[in-house]
């Protein structure tokens, strides 16, 4: 995440992800201000990127495509 998350928020995210992925997870909260906002989840070689940086990159790509 871009900022430090409190335990309540981490547990909320963990519960939601465990439900969607149907497996138990261990959360390792790393702070990366470069992502600007949102979170990036990496599990079993897959990356789910819902960071603000990625969203802005996609908007830029769509604008450049015309």
């Amino acid at each position: 995440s871009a900022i430090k998350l409190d335990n309540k928020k981490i547990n909320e995210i963990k519960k939601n992800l465990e439900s969607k992925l149907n497996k138990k997870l261990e959360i390792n909260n790393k702070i990366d201000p470069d992502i600007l906002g949102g979170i990036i989840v990496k599990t079993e070689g897959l990356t789910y990127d819902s960071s603000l940086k990625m969203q802005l990159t996609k908007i830029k790509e769509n604008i450049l495509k015309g």
Side-chain angles (χ1 to χ4, degrees):
S1 64
I3 60 171
K4 181 171 175 38
L5 301 175
D6 61 34
N7 286 338
K8 182 178 177 184
K9 191 63 173 175
I10 290 171
N11 288 331
E12 181 182 319
I13 292 168
K14 180 180 178 184
K15 184 177 177 182
N16 189 324
L17 288 171
E18 286 179 339
S19 174
K20 289 184 181 204
L21 298 173
N22 197 26
K23 63 176 70 179
K24 292 288 184 187
L25 299 174
E26 178 183 328
I27 301 293
N28 184 358
N29 184 26
K30 293 183 180 178
I31 300 169
D32 182 359
D34 289 339
I35 70 171
L36 305 176
I39 63 171
I40 299 173
V41 176
K42 295 180 181 180
T43 179
E44 296 182 354
L46 298 174
T47 300
Y48 303 95
D49 190 339
S50 65
S51 68
L52 181 55
K53 182 177 180 178
M54 179 56 74
Q55 293 173 30
L56 291 172
T57 298
K58 288 180 180 181
I59 290 170
K60 179 181 175 184
E61 288 173 356
N62 286 334
I63 289 172
L64 293 176
K65 285 181 185 176

